């Protein structure tokens, strides 16, 4: 085998991983490792280096496609800590990732909302935090999607903020409300975290506490920007709208200011934050929006992230770059074979130089991207430092401006005081008279002093400052007129109060009238109660009269009895004693009868209460059964849209059996329902039938969804909708059973129609089997098994003949390759023969244990579907053995392809797996033959793998690798060869795509004719079902750009 020794050293210094496919695979691998390390179930904070790699990955691919392709597969509903860390990583990716991350996250809003809703309904400490965090993330995504001027990092200049707010007051008002909502979500998350923690200094060093505190770093960064923007917009609003209109905004801002100040204070006191972030300090009091000059006093809070300490581990590069000086010739040969395909002749060495130069350019470009990312990180740190310095400069500038303003104010006040002093010297005499008049006015209107304090103060100032007596008199007259007006207003208010008092008096009179009517009604009721009481007393007197009559009759009876006793006593004393005893016994019996009658009445009352309690308990049991059935059905219906259920498959025959069983269970359910309606004291029949119906219907829905994954698109959609309708009809029926009013009217007609629809679709999806009489099935099974054994024996014989012929006709490497291939084929045939024999013994065991008094043919006829599966599997095994021998013969004679032998090995392994699956359907788990069959199946798979391995090894030994030497070619010729190679690559890609489409159509037709939609447990020869309904799946390697597989390579 030739080696590539004339290739330039720069080409040999690059490993095979520098191709686009290898780079993409390495990138996906690194991203998957980083995501799995960052998002796990350990109660510890997320490591910064893993998140940094994920963020660099988003900049590398300019989006978050790879992140979401792995994140959506995480079992978030199973662990609240996993969901918490997912939210933390997503928050950091949104803030620091590529700008296209926001657009990618928009597509997965429903997934984020589902995670939050799930954990919001559970009583879990992390679950409640996850629910709040998801609401924050959804608010963040919505805000930045609506306002593209604000990046997810929230770092914009004041000019951009002014431009975004605009001049329209409505836009400024709406933007302020949205910023308040955004800040509320951030503060609610911080309050929830601190509420669950003990914020002592030592406690913050625990990993479990740091796991909760780590996301608050991003919250602090967001809150600092949101607070600054809210202050700016509030001042702008107060410059456009009246202060009373914005009272609600001010109250909401003050509440957020107190909460944010408390949050920053708690965080700054914790050791965990002191080494990770520099938290700004807010002023003691919120800004005074009523004073426009207070804007100059506002200082923008700046958050500074200290420079990160070097990690213990070196971060893995996204693009693997090798600087090794030498590589093995075989690796280089494989690189050229993967890039250019099998060699067809000697090439010029300059093509290899061009390729090496291209790879060096790609490597340098990757290194440049890496340098850019590092530079961007340094620029971010420098920007943070510049922001902090700008904040300090701005604060000093505002302090200077404030000092200048205070200086001007003091200067103005000094001038005013001097002027006042001069005026006071000139008007001392007039002030006394003015003060007397002012005192007279104050004495006259003492009651109005509180309401007009400002007017009096203004009047006093004017009296002190004014030196002109005439002007002072005028001012006094004006104040008197004002007092007169106030007096008129007070008189008007007094009149208004009088009118209100009159109206209240009228209302009180109306209320008194109503109370009188109510009193009359109460008196009428009292009269009725007294009349009913008199009637009751009259009835009691009648009863007492009847009682007296009965007592009188009783006295008469006693007197007659005493007379009788005296008569008997005179005749015989012994009889008197016996009569006395009999009378005593009669009295005792009467008392016992009375007691028994009382007990009987109590028993009847208890029986009625127990009967009612029994009815309630039976109805409660029924409701519990109904709720359980609803849960089972809802879980089954949820499987229709569950992305994890896409890989599950089933067969139309099994679906048919489940649907028939569910349809039969409706009869028992209807019978139990009628029995319960007739007698509600016994719900056992209905509960049992309901449980069976729920399980069978849910099983039908789940298997219907699994069957649709292998069905054609039209049938799959119809089957899915029919199963969904069946579940909804069943839930509607169960809903009617939950209400006592609709319980008797519940009908199963809609449920039966939905189940019949599933039955019809299952019948349509069943494979079209041969028209064979059921009496002949048993004979056909034995014939097919015998023919399969004969075909395998013939295959072994033919392989031995080929072995002897190859030894005489070939030598050297070819003889070694042929012997290895034929020996592996012989071992495979022996393993298949042993498997067929074991399968035959297992079938005999199944027939003997299951047929009872029936014959073997009757057993096979009774289980016709199973029998047809055995026949089909046996035919497939025999045909596969024949094809394997023919392919091996052609490979030995050098007239066939090695790929044919590999495909035949896969096909015969799949056929034997089908035979194993068909054989063990009715076998018992404890059967020894079943264990042997499974062992033989594993042996067949191993032998098939040996055939494939020996074939590929022989192919590598036989095929020659020509050296690609392009050193003697000119630049024009190299360009021409490059263009011809690209044309050939495109032709091969087009041919490959056409062959894939043809292979897909052939498989569809094969499944339709040979039972391709059966529930095959072995998936080696069957394609995996394509996911539908928006399930995200990464494209196959052959579908990625730049990958050119060989023309004979197996798909």
């Amino acid at each position: 085998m030739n080696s590539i020794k004339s290739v330039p050293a720069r080409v040999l210094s690059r490993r095979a991983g520098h191709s686009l496919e290898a780079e993409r695979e390495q990138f996906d691998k690194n991203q998957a490792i980083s995501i799995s390390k960052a998002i796990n179930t350990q109660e510890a904070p997320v490591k910064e280096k893993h998140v940094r790699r994920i963020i660099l990955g988003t900049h590398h691919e300019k989006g978050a496609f790879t992140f979401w392709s792995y994140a959506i597969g995480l079992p978030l509903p199973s662990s609240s800590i996993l969901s918490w860390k997912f939210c933390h990583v997503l928050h950091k990716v949104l803030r620091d990732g590529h700008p296209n991350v926001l657009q990618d996250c928009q597509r997965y809003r429903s997934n984020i909302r589902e995670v939050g809703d799930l954990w919001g309904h559970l009583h879990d400490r992390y679950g409640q935090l996850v629910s709040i965090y998801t609401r924050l993330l959804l608010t963040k995504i919505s805000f930045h999607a609506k306002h593209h001027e604000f990046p997810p990092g929230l770092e914009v200049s004041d000019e951009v903020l002014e431009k975004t707010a605009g001049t329209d007051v409505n836009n400024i008002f709406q933007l302020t409300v949205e910023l308040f909502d955004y800040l509320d979500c951030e503060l609610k998350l911080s309050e929830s975290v601190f509420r669950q923690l003990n914020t002592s200094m030592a406690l913050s060093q625990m990993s479990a506490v740091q796991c909760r505190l780590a996301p608050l770093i991003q919250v602090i960064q967001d809150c600092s920007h949101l607070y600054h923007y809210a202050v700016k917009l509030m001042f702008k609003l107060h410059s456009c709208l009246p202060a009373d209109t914005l009272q609600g905004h001010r109250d909401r801002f003050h509440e957020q200011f107190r909460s944010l100040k408390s949050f920053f204070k708690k965080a700054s006191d914790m050791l965990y934050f002191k080494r990770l972030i520099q938290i700004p300090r807010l002023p003691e009091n919120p800004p005074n929006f009523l004073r426009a000059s207070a804007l100059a006093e506002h200082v923008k809070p700046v958050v500074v992230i200290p420079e990160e300490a070097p990690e213990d581990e070196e971060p893995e590069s996204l693009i693997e770059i090798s600087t090794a000086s030498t590589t093995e010739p075989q690796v280089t040969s494989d690189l050229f074979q993967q890039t250019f395909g099998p060699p067809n002749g000697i090439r010029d060495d300059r093509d290899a130089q061009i390729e090496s130069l291209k790879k060096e350019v790609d490597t340098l470009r990757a290194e440049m991207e890496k340098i850019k990312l590092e530079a961007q990180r340094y620029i971010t740190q420098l920007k943070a430092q510049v922001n902090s310095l700008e904040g300090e400069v701005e604060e000093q500038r505002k302090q200077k401006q404030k000092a200048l303003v205070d200086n001007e104010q003091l200067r103005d006040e000094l001038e005013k005081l001097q002027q006042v002093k001069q005026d006071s010297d000139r008007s001392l005499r007039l002030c006394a008279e003015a003060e007397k008049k002012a005192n007279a006015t104050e004495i006259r209107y003492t009651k109005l002093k509180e309401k007009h304090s400002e007017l009096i103060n203004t009047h006093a100032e004017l009296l002190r400052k004014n030196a002109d007596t005439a002007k002072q008199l005028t001012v006094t007259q004006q104040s008197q007129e004002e007092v007169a007006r106030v007096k008129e207003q007070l008189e008007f208010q007094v009149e208004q109060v009088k009118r209100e008092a009159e109206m209240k008096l009228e209302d009180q009179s109306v209320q008194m009238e109503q109370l009188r009517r109510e009193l009359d009604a109460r008196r009428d009721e009292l009269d009725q109660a007294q009349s009913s009481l008199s009637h009751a007393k009259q009835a009691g007197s009648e009863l007492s009269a009847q009682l007296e009559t009965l007592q009188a009759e009783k006295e008469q009876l006693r007197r007659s009895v005493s007379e009788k006793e005296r008569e008997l006593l005179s005749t015989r004393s012994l009889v008197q004693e016996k009569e006395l005893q009999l009378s005593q016994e009669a009295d005792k019996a009467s008392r016992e009868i009375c007691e028994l009658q009382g007990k009987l009445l109590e028993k009847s009352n208890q029986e009625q209460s127990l009967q009612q309690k029994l009815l309630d308990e039976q109805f409660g049991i029924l409701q519990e059964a109904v709720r359980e059935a609803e849960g089972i059905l809802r879980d089954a219906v949820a499987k229709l849209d569950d992305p994890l259920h896409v890989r599950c498959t089933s067969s139309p025959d099994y679906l048919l059996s489940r649907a028939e069983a569910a349809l039969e269970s409706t009869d028992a359910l209807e019978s139990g329902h009628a029995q319960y309606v007739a007698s509600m004291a016994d719900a056992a029949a209905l509960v049992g039938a309901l449980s069976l119906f729920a399980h069978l219907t849910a099983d039908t829905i789940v298997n219907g969804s699994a069957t649709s994954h292998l069905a054609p698109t039209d049938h799959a959609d119809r089957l899915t909708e029919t199963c969904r309708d069946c579940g909804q009809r069943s839930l509607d029926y169960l809903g009617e059973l939950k209400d006592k009013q609709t319980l008797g009217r519940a009908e199963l007609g809609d449920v039966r129609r939905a189940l019949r629809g599933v039955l019809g679709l299952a019948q349509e999806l069943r494979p079209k089997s041969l028209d064979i009489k059921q009496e002949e099935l048993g004979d056909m099974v034995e014939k097919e098994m015998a023919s399969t054994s004969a075909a395998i024996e013939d295959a072994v014989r033919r392989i031995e003949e080929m072995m002897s012929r190859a030894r005489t006709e070939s030598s050297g490497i070819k003889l070694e390759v042929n012997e290895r291939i034929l020996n592996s084929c012989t071992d495979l045939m022996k393993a298949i023969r042993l498997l067929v024999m074991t399968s035959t013994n297992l079938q005999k065991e199944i027939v003997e244990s299951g047929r009872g008094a029936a014959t073997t043919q009757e057993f096979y006829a009774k289980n016709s579907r199973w029998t047809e599966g055995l026949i089909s599997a046996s035919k497939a095994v025999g045909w596969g053995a024949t094809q394997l021998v023919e392919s091996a013969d052609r490979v030995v004679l050098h007239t066939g392809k090695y790929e044919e032998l590999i495909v035949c090995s896969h096909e015969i392994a799949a056929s034997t797996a089908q035979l194993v699956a068909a054989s063990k359907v009715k076998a018992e788990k404890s059967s020894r033959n079943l264990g042997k069959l499974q062992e033989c199946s594993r042996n067949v798979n191993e032998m098939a793998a040996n055939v494939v391995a020996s074939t590929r090894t022989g192919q590598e030994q036989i095929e020659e690798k020509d050296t690609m030497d392009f050193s003697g070619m000119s630049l024009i010729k190299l360009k021409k060869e490059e263009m011809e190679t690209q044309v050939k690559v495109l032709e091969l890609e087009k041919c490959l795509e056409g062959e894939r489409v043809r292979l897909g159509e052939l498989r569809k037709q094969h499944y339709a004719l040979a039972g391709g939609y059966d529930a095959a447990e072995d998936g080696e020869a069957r394609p995996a079902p394509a996911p539908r309904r928006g399930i995200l799946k990464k494209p196959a390697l052959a579908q990625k750009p730049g990958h050119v597989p060989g023309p004979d390579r197996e798909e």
Side-chain angles (χ1 to χ4, degrees):
M1 185 169 59
N2 297 328
S3 61
I4 306 175
K5 296 183 178 179
S6 61
V7 180
R10 286 178 296 177
V11 177
L12 294 176
S13 65
R14 306 300 180 190
R15 295 187 300 179
H18 286 285
S19 62
L20 294 177
E21 297 82 10
E23 287 180 7
R24 184 64 190 180
E25 290 177 358
Q26 185 66 24
F27 172 75
D28 291 345
K29 179 180 177 182
N30 292 336
Q31 286 293 295
I33 293 173
S34 299
I35 291 171
S36 62
K37 288 182 177 180
I39 306 174
N40 52 43
T41 57
Q42 296 179 0
E43 195 173 7
V46 178
K47 289 189 177 180
E48 189 65 25
K49 60 181 179 181
H50 303 317
V51 182
R52 190 187 311 117
R53 292 173 189 169
I54 298 172
I55 294 172
L56 291 177
T58 62
H59 289 281
H60 175 74
E61 68 173 359
K62 297 180 175 58
F65 175 79
T66 303
F67 170 77
W68 276 108
S69 65
Y70 289 105
I72 200 173
L74 294 172
L76 300 180
S78 63
S79 173
S80 57
I81 298 178
L82 192 71
S83 303
W84 174 252
K85 288 191 173 183
F86 164 75
C87 294
H88 182 192
V89 174
L90 179 59
H91 196 173
K92 290 184 71 69
V93 170
L94 275 171
R95 280 188 53 85
D96 304 329
H98 193 271
N100 293 336
V101 170
L102 179 65
Q103 185 178 0
D104 293 336
C105 292
Q106 276 283 97
R107 305 188 187 99
Y108 298 94
R109 285 172 54 87
S110 58
N111 300 82
I112 300 173
R113 185 179 293 106
E114 288 174 0
V115 172
D117 293 342
L118 171 65
W119 288 110
H121 295 306
L122 301 177
H123 297 288
D124 185 88
R125 294 175 66 85
Y126 272 101
Q128 299 299 321
L129 296 179
V130 170
S131 177
I132 298 171
Y133 210 163
T134 53
R135 287 198 291 272
L136 169 60
L137 294 176
L138 292 173
T139 304
K140 186 178 185 69
I141 293 171
S142 301
F143 179 84
H144 294 291
K146 183 177 180 182
H147 303 285
H148 299 286
E149 299 82 3
F150 289 88
L154 287 171
E155 292 184 0
V156 295
S157 61
D158 292 342
E159 291 79 11
V160 176
L161 179 63
E162 292 289 334
K163 183 178 179 181
T164 304
T167 57
D168 190 356
V169 178
N170 295 326
N171 293 339
I172 302 173
F173 193 94
Q174 182 63 29
L175 181 59
T176 307
V177 172
E178 291 175 0
L179 284 175
F180 283 165
D181 296 338
Y182 198 167
L183 187 57
D184 278 337
C185 294
E186 301 276 358
L187 294 174
K188 187 174 182 182
L189 177 61
S190 64
E191 290 172 0
S192 301
V193 171
F194 281 118
R195 193 181 302 118
Q196 291 188 9
L197 297 178
N198 179 10
T199 56
S200 64
M201 302 290 284
L203 189 61
S204 64
Q205 301 303 311
M206 297 174 60
S207 60
V209 176
Q210 293 178 1
C211 182
R212 290 183 173 90
L213 293 177
L216 297 186
I217 297 176
Q218 287 71 46
V219 174
I220 293 172
Q221 292 176 310
D222 290 347
C223 288
S224 63
H225 294 293
L226 292 173
Y227 169 78
H228 175 64
Y229 302 150
V231 171
K232 289 282 188 180
L233 292 177
M234 283 291 288
F235 275 109
K236 192 168 186 179
L237 276 177
H238 279 77
S239 65
C240 302
L241 294 174
D244 296 337
T245 306
L246 300 173
Q247 182 63 41
H249 274 49
R250 289 197 300 274
D251 295 341
R252 187 175 183 184
F253 178 83
H254 291 163
E255 184 179 355
Q256 289 182 347
F257 176 85
R258 290 190 294 270
S259 180
L260 183 60
K261 185 175 178 64
S262 175
F263 169 41
F264 280 2
K265 186 178 184 304
K266 290 179 181 178
S268 61
D269 293 338
M270 302 185 74
L271 293 176
Y272 175 72
F273 292 106
K274 288 184 178 179
R275 63 183 181 85
L276 296 177
I277 188 171
Q278 182 178 343
I279 303 172
R281 290 187 177 274
L282 297 180
E284 291 297 327
N285 298 317
N288 186 7
F289 300 113
L290 301 178
R291 186 166 55 89
S293 61
L295 179 60
E297 302 172 3
H298 170 66
V299 179
K300 178 181 178 180
V302 179
V303 178
V304 179
I305 303 294
E307 186 175 358
E308 298 172 357
E311 297 286 345
D312 296 335
E313 300 178 10
E314 286 293 326
E316 301 175 4
S317 61
L318 295 176
I319 303 175
E320 183 177 348
I321 300 175
S322 175
T323 58
S325 60
T326 60
T327 56
E328 291 296 326
Q330 183 64 35
V331 175
T332 310
S333 175
D334 292 340
L335 168 62
F336 280 102
Q337 184 178 358
Q338 292 178 2
T339 308
F340 299 98
N344 295 325
I346 299 175
R347 305 284 179 88
D348 200 337
D349 186 49
R350 277 182 277 185
D351 286 341
Q353 293 179 359
I354 291 173
E355 293 297 326
S356 67
L357 292 173
K358 286 183 179 179
K359 292 175 181 177
E360 288 180 0
V361 170
D362 294 337
T363 303
L364 293 174
R365 187 175 297 146
E367 293 175 353
M368 186 180 296
E369 290 293 332
K370 200 173 177 185
I371 292 171
K372 285 182 179 179
L373 292 176
E374 290 293 329
Q376 185 176 3
R377 188 166 66 85
Y378 292 143
I379 289 171
T380 304
Q381 294 177 357
L382 292 175
K383 281 184 178 180
Q385 295 177 2
V386 169
N387 290 334
S388 62
L389 294 175
E390 286 180 353
E392 294 177 359
V393 171
E394 185 70 19
E395 185 177 359
Q396 292 178 359
R397 184 182 65 81
K398 290 177 181 178
Q399 289 178 357
K400 179 181 178 182
Q401 186 177 359
K402 184 179 179 182
L404 292 175
V405 172
D406 294 340
N407 191 13
E408 291 293 332
Q409 290 178 355
L410 292 173
R411 193 173 293 169
D412 293 338
E413 290 178 358
L414 181 60
E415 292 177 356
K416 289 180 182 179
L417 290 174
Q418 291 176 356
Q419 187 67 28
V420 168
K421 185 178 180 180
Q422 293 175 1
D423 293 339
S424 62
D425 292 337
R426 289 184 304 215
S427 59
L428 287 174
R429 295 185 302 273
L430 299 175
C431 284
E433 186 178 357
E435 287 177 359
K436 290 179 181 180
K437 293 181 179 180
N439 291 329
T441 305
E442 289 178 0
I443 294 170
R444 192 180 305 169
Y445 302 105
T446 305
K447 295 182 179 180
L448 300 175
K449 185 177 181 180
E450 293 179 359
K451 295 184 179 179
H452 303 283
S453 59
E454 288 186 2
L455 183 60
I456 294 171
N457 294 330
T458 305
H459 181 60
E461 290 177 2
L462 291 173
L463 289 174
R464 283 191 301 269
K465 294 179 181 179
N466 196 349
D468 192 3
T469 306
K471 188 177 179 180
Q472 183 63 38
L473 292 174
T474 304
V475 172
T476 306
Q477 290 175 359
Q478 290 178 355
S479 62
Q480 290 176 356
E481 292 175 358
E482 184 69 23
V483 170
R485 284 196 298 271
V486 172
K487 185 176 181 181
E488 291 177 358
Q489 292 179 359
L490 289 175
E491 290 177 355
F492 177 74
Q493 292 178 359
V494 168
E495 291 294 331
Q496 188 175 1
V497 170
K498 288 181 179 179
R499 287 195 297 269
E500 291 178 356
E502 291 176 357
M503 292 175 64
K504 290 182 179 179
L505 186 60
E506 292 177 358
D507 294 337
Q508 290 177 359
S509 62
V510 172
Q511 292 178 1
M512 288 293 293
E513 188 65 27
Q514 291 179 356
L515 291 174
R516 288 194 187 96
R517 287 196 295 269
E518 291 180 359
L519 183 59
D520 295 336
R522 297 296 181 184
R523 288 176 179 175
D524 295 337
E525 292 177 359
L526 183 60
D527 294 337
Q528 291 178 2
Q530 289 177 354
S531 60
S532 61
L533 181 61
S534 62
H535 290 308
K537 288 181 178 180
Q538 185 177 0
S541 60
E542 292 177 357
L543 290 175
S544 61
Q546 292 178 2
L547 182 60
E548 292 176 356
T549 306
L550 291 175
Q551 288 178 354
E553 292 178 355
K554 185 177 180 181
E555 291 295 333
Q556 291 178 1
L557 290 174
R558 284 181 178 177
R559 286 195 297 270
S560 61
V561 169
S562 61
E563 291 175 358
K564 295 291 184 182
E565 288 178 354
R566 283 194 297 271
E567 291 176 358
L568 292 173
L569 184 59
S570 60
T571 57
R572 194 168 54 188
S573 59
L574 184 60
V575 174
Q576 184 179 5
E577 293 178 359
K578 290 182 178 180
E579 286 294 336
L580 182 59
Q581 292 176 359
L582 288 174
S583 64
Q584 292 176 355
E585 291 177 359
D587 293 337
K588 184 178 179 181
S590 63
R591 287 194 299 271
E592 291 178 355
I593 288 172
C594 294
E595 292 176 358
L596 290 174
Q597 287 178 351
K599 291 181 180 179
L600 181 60
L601 183 60
E602 292 178 359
K603 291 290 184 182
S604 62
N605 294 332
Q606 291 179 359
E607 185 178 357
Q608 290 178 358
S609 62
L610 290 175
Q611 185 70 18
Q612 184 63 34
K613 186 177 180 181
L614 177 62
L615 294 177
D616 295 339
E617 288 179 353
Q618 291 296 317
F619 185 74
I621 293 171
L622 176 61
Q623 296 309 304
E624 291 294 331
V626 169
R627 281 193 289 272
E628 184 69 23
E630 283 182 340
I632 294 171
L633 289 173
R634 285 198 178 92
D635 182 67
V637 173
K639 289 291 191 298
L640 296 174
D641 299 323
D642 191 355
L644 300 178
H645 192 252
V646 173
R647 291 291 180 181
C648 299
T649 58
S650 182
S651 66
D653 288 331
Y654 187 70
L655 174 60
L656 190 65
S657 63
R658 294 292 86 196
E660 288 175 351
L663 192 59
E664 291 175 0
S665 68
T666 57
D667 297 333
L669 181 60
E670 188 173 19
S671 176
H673 177 257
Q675 182 179 351
Y676 178 75
V677 171
S679 176
M680 292 190 176
D682 185 12
L686 180 57
V687 170
L690 191 62
S691 177
L692 178 63
F693 165 76
H695 283 89
L696 291 177
T697 306
D699 199 5
T700 302
I701 294 171
V702 172
N703 284 281
S705 174
T707 305
S708 68
H709 297 158
L710 291 177
T713 305
D714 295 337
H715 288 79
D717 294 339
R718 288 168 53 197
L719 182 57
T720 302
E721 292 302 324
T722 306
C723 292
R724 197 186 306 278
D725 181 65
C726 178
Q728 187 60 42
R729 299 298 181 186
S730 301
L731 290 173
D732 293 341
Y733 173 76
L734 294 177
E736 292 178 353
L737 292 181
K738 293 172 70 175
D739 191 0
K740 289 185 178 181
Q741 296 180 356
T742 60
L743 178 62
R745 301 192 301 270
E747 295 292 339
L748 283 167
D750 295 338
V751 179
R752 287 196 177 100
R753 280 191 292 273
L755 288 173
R756 291 192 185 99
V758 177
L759 275 172
L761 289 174
Q763 290 285 358
E764 293 179 9
L765 293 174
R766 288 188 63 198
K768 311 301 186 295
S769 58
L770 300 175
D771 296 333
I772 304 172
K773 294 182 179 179
Q774 292 186 349
E775 293 78 4
E776 301 176 1
L777 287 175
D779 298 334
M780 285 195 66
V781 172
E782 297 177 357
K783 290 179 181 178
E784 288 299 332
M785 297 300 290
S787 64
T788 301
S789 301
I792 294 171
E793 293 290 343
D794 183 66
V796 173
R797 180 182 55 77
R798 289 183 61 186
I799 291 173
E800 292 176 354
E801 293 176 358
M802 285 188 285
M803 179 73 77
S804 61
R805 186 170 64 249
R807 288 171 179 168
T808 58
E809 295 179 358
S810 60
S811 62
I813 295 178
K814 292 183 178 180
L815 177 60
E816 179 184 354
V817 170
N818 292 336
E819 285 182 349
R820 188 185 301 115
I821 292 174
L822 293 176
N823 286 331
S824 61
C825 292
T826 303
D827 295 338
L828 178 60
M829 289 297 106
K830 291 179 180 179
I832 294 173
R833 180 172 58 185
L834 181 60
L835 184 140
V836 171
M837 294 172 60
T838 308
S839 176
T840 304
N841 295 333
L842 180 60
Q843 292 169 21
K844 291 180 181 179
E845 179 183 337
I846 292 171
V847 172
E848 291 298 328
S849 62
R851 68 187 180 88
T855 62
T856 303
Q857 286 75 15
E858 291 176 352
F859 178 80
Y860 282 121
K862 182 179 178 182
N863 300 275
S864 58
R865 294 175 186 168
W866 176 66
T867 307
E868 290 174 2
L870 288 176
I871 294 171
S872 176
S874 301
K875 287 182 178 180
V877 172
W879 179 82
T882 305
Q883 292 297 318
L884 180 67
V885 173
E886 293 177 357
S887 299
D889 192 10
R890 288 195 293 271
V891 169
V892 171
L893 296 177
H894 305 289
T895 59
K897 298 180 179 179
Y898 290 96
E899 286 77 6
E900 294 180 1
L901 192 59
I902 293 173
V903 172
C904 289
S905 301
H906 289 170
E907 185 65 29
I908 198 169
S911 302
T912 54
Q914 182 181 358
L915 179 61
V916 171
S919 299
K920 71 179 185 180
V921 166
K922 292 186 175 296
E924 297 180 356
K925 294 183 179 179
S926 59
S927 175
R928 295 180 60 186
N929 288 325
L930 178 60
K932 293 181 180 179
L933 183 64
Q934 293 174 345
E935 183 66 28
C936 293
S937 175
R938 288 192 290 269
N939 192 18
V940 168
N941 290 334
E942 292 177 0
M943 295 300 106
N946 291 337
V947 171
V948 174
S950 60
T951 303
R952 288 177 176 168
T953 304
Q955 184 181 10
E956 293 176 357
Q957 291 180 353
I958 295 297
E959 292 181 352
E960 294 182 356
K961 308 293 187 301
D962 294 332
T963 303
M964 295 184 184
D965 188 4
F966 307 114
S967 59
M969 298 179 69
S970 63
L971 181 62
I972 302 298
K973 192 171 182 181
L974 280 172
K975 189 64 178 178
K976 182 179 178 182
E977 290 292 333
E978 181 183 353
M979 294 177 63
E980 290 177 356
T981 304
Q982 290 179 355
V983 171
K984 188 174 180 181
V985 167
L986 293 175
E987 290 176 353
L988 290 175
E989 287 180 347
K990 184 177 180 181
C991 181
L992 177 61
E993 188 65 27
E995 291 298 324
R996 281 177 175 163
V997 174
R998 185 170 179 268
L999 176 62
E1001 295 297 329
L1002 287 173
R1003 284 177 172 174
K1004 288 182 181 179
Q1005 187 65 20
H1006 175 263
Y1007 294 160
L1009 294 177
Y1013 296 110
D1014 289 344
E1017 296 181 4
D1018 185 73
E1020 296 179 359
R1022 303 183 186 276
R1028 295 190 297 272
R1029 302 179 187 90
I1031 302 304
L1032 180 63
K1033 181 180 180 183
K1034 297 183 66 178
L1037 183 61
Q1039 297 176 1
K1040 295 181 179 179
H1043 179 72
V1044 185
D1048 296 330
R1049 188 172 295 170
E1050 184 185 353
E1051 186 176 340

